[in-house]
Amino acid sequence: MYKRAGFAFFAGALLVLAFPRWDCAFLTWPALALLFLSLKGQSVFRGFLLGFLCGMVFFPGLFYWITGVTGYRYIHHLLLALYFSSYFGLFGMGAAFLERRLGWPAALWAAPFLWVALEYLRSNLSFLALPWGLIGQAPYRYPVMIQGAALAGTYGLSFLIVLQSAGLAAVIQAIRQRKNRLHNRVHEWIKGSLKVTVAAGLSIILALSFGLWRLGIPVQGETLEIALVQANIPQSRKWDPRYAETILKIYRGLTLRAAAMKPDLIVWPETATPGGVTSDPRIFNTVFEMAQKTNVPLLLGSAQYQKWIPPGKSTVQLTNSAFLLHPEQGPVLNQRYDKVRLFPFGEYLPYKNVLPWHWIRVSSLSEYAPGTEYTVLELPPHRLGVTLCWENIFPELVRRFVKNGAEVIINLTNEARFGDTAAPYQLMAASVFRAVENGVFVIRCANTGISCIIDSRGRILQRLKDDGDRDLFIQGILKGTALLTNAHTLYIKTGDWVPAFSIAAVLCFMIAGLFDGKASPMSYILKQSQRKRS
């Protein structure tokens, strides 16, 4: 058991290294293969423990940066690790169960279906939903490997990686058996596990072939010249009234410099203004004067008061919003998107009147109201989809914008509270997949970085850097060109069909496992009824 635990522990460590900031994506395959090998021949309970151990290494390592967030404590990190690691535990339990009931080859075949089903559940379970650290996101720096997301989304890439890892595990196990001269088991592997290896090899060939073909198709569309303003405002000063004038002065200077580059649109990051642009006349006048002086449309993020207050509310609620300001239309903010997917415990406290969060010293930094519409902003003749902060990690959310007619996705974000850590890189990696899935350019405008332009094939074309090649906590302007297209990817039309198929497949595997794979449910019922009669 200690050897198996070592495999699971090492697998979790390798998975951490596969993701940003380390970016050793090639470690994903041996990591999962090690996990599969650790589960071979184990009981259901031990399978859960081994998977859980792998998760207890992976998730705390992946999210190490969150410990520096104000109000976040190590007890919270432990709870986070326990919850998310349980998904790996369930995978281990399911794989061990299927191996004991149906055999090793069947468990390998079931592995990608089971993994994707659990990833989808983790990504969509109420306020605990977090599609972060999905296995399919690891190779984001290799465009040829990720083009399949245009067909099957990021979950489809996860499926392929797990299938290929299962094939690798089958090969390793066969080598171990041959070394031990277990010829009968080698023969068993040839009959069953070899098919998994062949399928894994074919999936690699097909994925790379499709990637090369898609990358060979020129990206075409109308051009939008865009200037991204990265002001690098420290989190400790953003909401301090003493620095309000200084912040506006910084944005004024950067915006005038950006306007000199003759863009079609100037973009500020999330919550750029030191107060609500609709609730503070001084801030609004300053922003409008800048737009009027430059005569360039301005897209900016600002947290401000919600106009409509629900009955029974004694206090005004906040919204985290994006505004598109057209200087020729006069001093009016008539185009606005309110953030739909709020950050739990940061922008609201989930079920605060029901769940006893105070028992574990959990509170919310603010209390915002969510938006209700996926509003596409008009910049004639163009249509812009704007997301705020972590919204870009949710595949279906971005897909909704594109289905509503968005020709480009612009992500306004502020990640200053995370410091110089892997968090901005992990968020950027997720944006790469939103570009490939939807066939549109994705543009990130960040307060402290990373501000970049990603094309519709997931290639990071431009990134704001200083002379020292740093892209975090620097100030500057990124001028670039986005090609605006009406996307027609299969993923846009079908959505997350791979998880749906995977869930159905898992149910079939589990039903077969319950009946040992030897009898149908109906024959099992008939046998039980005959026993009762006798």
Side-chain angles (χ1 to χ4, degrees):
M1 182 62 181
Y2 292 111
K3 184 178 179 180
R4 307 275 181 165
F7 281 179
F9 184 94
F10 193 47
L14 291 179
L15 286 177
V16 172
L17 296 177
F19 285 84
R21 205 167 184 176
W22 300 270
D23 287 323
C24 300
F26 64 91
L27 295 176
T28 308
W29 288 267
L32 292 177
L34 273 177
L35 177 60
F36 299 159
L37 291 171
S38 74
L39 298 171
K40 190 174 189 314
Q42 299 301 296
S43 67
V44 172
F45 178 68
R46 285 189 172 186
F48 178 86
L49 290 180
L50 289 168
F52 187 79
L53 174 60
C54 180
M56 285 296 289
V57 177
F58 174 60
F59 287 106
L62 183 72
F63 295 125
Y64 76 92
W65 42 265
I66 202 172
T67 57
V69 174
T70 303
Y72 191 83
R73 300 176 176 86
Y74 285 104
I75 182 63
H76 302 152
H77 206 52
L78 176 61
L79 292 173
L80 177 147
L82 291 173
Y83 169 69
F84 287 113
S85 297
S86 65
Y87 286 96
F88 277 30
L90 290 173
F91 173 81
M93 183 170 65
F97 170 77
L98 291 175
E99 191 208 345
R100 292 179 74 86
R101 305 290 284 189
L102 302 177
W104 168 250
L108 292 179
W109 279 116
F113 298 103
L114 181 58
W115 189 280
V116 169
L118 289 168
E119 272 197 344
Y120 186 75
L121 179 62
R122 171 165 71 87
S123 302
N124 293 277
L125 188 59
S126 186
F127 67 90
L128 295 172
L130 190 65
W132 198 311
L134 304 182
I135 289 299
Q137 293 175 347
Y140 77 98
R141 295 196 305 164
Y142 305 98
V144 70
M145 298 176 64
I146 64 175
Q147 297 308 306
L151 302 176
T154 307
Y155 298 110
L157 299 179
S158 292
F159 184 95
L160 291 179
I161 291 175
V162 177
L163 173 63
Q164 293 155 11
S165 301
L168 177 60
V171 171
I172 295 172
Q173 181 64 16
I175 294 173
R176 293 171 65 191
Q177 290 173 345
R178 181 176 289 276
K179 185 178 179 181
N180 294 330
R181 298 183 179 181
L182 299 175
H183 297 296
N184 58 329
R185 293 187 179 181
V186 172
H187 181 64
E188 178 187 346
W189 173 80
I190 292 174
K191 291 194 300 181
S193 302
L194 176 61
K195 297 177 183 178
V196 181
T197 305
V198 172
L202 288 175
S203 73
I204 294 174
I205 295 172
L206 292 174
L208 293 180
S209 298
F210 178 76
L212 289 170
W213 171 77
R214 191 164 188 262
L215 289 175
I217 301 175
V219 179
Q220 298 178 338
E222 296 186 31
T223 61
L224 176 68
E225 299 295 326
I226 192 165
L228 309 179
V229 172
Q230 183 168 305
N232 193 29
I233 307 299
Q235 189 66 20
S236 59
R237 296 186 177 185
K238 278 188 64 65
W239 305 108
D240 192 330
R242 295 175 298 175
Y243 296 101
E245 282 298 327
T246 301
I247 292 172
L248 290 174
K249 184 178 180 180
I250 291 172
Y251 275 107
R252 184 184 296 109
L254 290 171
T255 301
L256 292 176
R257 283 173 50 197
M261 301 176 182
K262 305 297 182 183
D264 300 317
L265 177 67
I266 296 175
V267 182
W268 291 3
E270 177 194 22
T271 60
T273 58
V277 72
T278 58
S279 59
D280 190 327
R282 179 179 57 87
I283 292 177
F284 173 79
N285 291 334
T286 301
V287 170
F288 178 72
E289 287 172 7
M290 271 189 269
Q292 201 171 35
K293 186 173 183 178
T294 60
N295 197 33
V296 179
L298 175 63
L299 176 65
L300 71 149
S302 179
Q304 85 296 303
Y305 293 111
Q306 182 176 263
K307 293 181 179 179
W308 179 74
I309 305 173
K313 295 287 186 180
S314 59
T315 59
V316 179
Q317 290 182 300
L318 297 172
T319 58
N320 189 351
S321 305
F323 296 91
L324 181 59
L325 182 60
H326 292 270
E328 69 276 7
Q329 294 180 358
V332 58
L333 293 169
N334 58 356
Q335 292 205 67
R336 161 181 169 181
Y337 163 69
D338 293 335
K339 186 177 182 181
V340 171
R341 195 89 190 208
L342 298 178
F343 192 85
F345 312 112
E347 292 174 317
Y348 79 106
L349 193 61
Y351 304 107
K352 62 180 180 179
N353 297 324
V354 178
L355 299 177
W357 295 114
H358 60 279
W359 287 3
I360 51 175
R361 302 177 69 189
V362 170
S363 61
S364 179
L365 300 177
S366 306
E367 196 63 33
Y368 284 79
T372 57
E373 297 182 7
Y374 297 85
T375 307
V376 175
L377 306 183
E378 303 284 346
L379 182 67
H382 308 305
R383 308 192 74 202
L384 317 177
V386 180
T387 60
L388 293 166
C389 192
W390 78 327
E391 287 187 317
N392 255 30
I393 73 171
F394 294 94
E396 181 58 28
L397 185 148
V398 176
R399 176 173 170 264
R400 289 282 294 273
F401 276 107
V402 179
K403 284 182 70 70
N404 286 350
E407 300 166 302
V408 63
I409 297 296
I410 303 177
N411 180 227
L412 311 184
T413 184
N414 170 38
E415 292 139 23
R417 63 172 56 89
F418 302 134
D420 188 2
T421 66
Y425 297 92
Q426 293 172 3
L427 287 163
M428 180 185 67
S431 293
V432 166
F433 293 93
R434 302 297 85 81
V436 180
E437 288 167 348
N438 298 287
V440 297
F441 272 61
V442 173
I443 297 168
R444 297 187 85 242
C445 183
N447 171 36
T448 55
I450 302 167
S451 295
C452 62
I453 297 176
I454 305 168
D455 78 353
S456 58
R457 302 297 187 262
R459 296 170 290 206
I460 302 173
L461 301 181
Q462 294 175 265
R463 183 188 301 191
L464 180 62
K465 293 185 177 183
D466 65 4
D467 295 337
D469 205 40
R470 295 182 306 168
D471 50 15
L472 286 181
F473 293 94
I474 61 171
Q475 190 179 102
I477 301 164
L478 180 63
K479 169 67 162 46
T481 303
L483 298 180
L484 276 59
T485 60
N486 292 313
H488 297 289
T489 66
L490 179 64
Y491 180 77
I492 286 292
K493 299 176 182 177
T494 60
D496 291 319
W497 61 271
V498 172
F501 184 74
S502 296
I503 292 170
V506 168
L507 291 175
C508 292
F509 274 108
M510 290 302 173
I511 291 173
L514 288 172
F515 299 99
D516 296 327
K518 300 175 183 177
S520 67
M522 184 56 67
S523 63
Y524 178 82
I525 293 172
L526 290 174
K527 286 182 180 179
Q528 292 298 318
S529 62
Q530 289 174 357
R531 288 178 183 176
K532 289 181 179 179
R533 289 175 185 174
S534 61

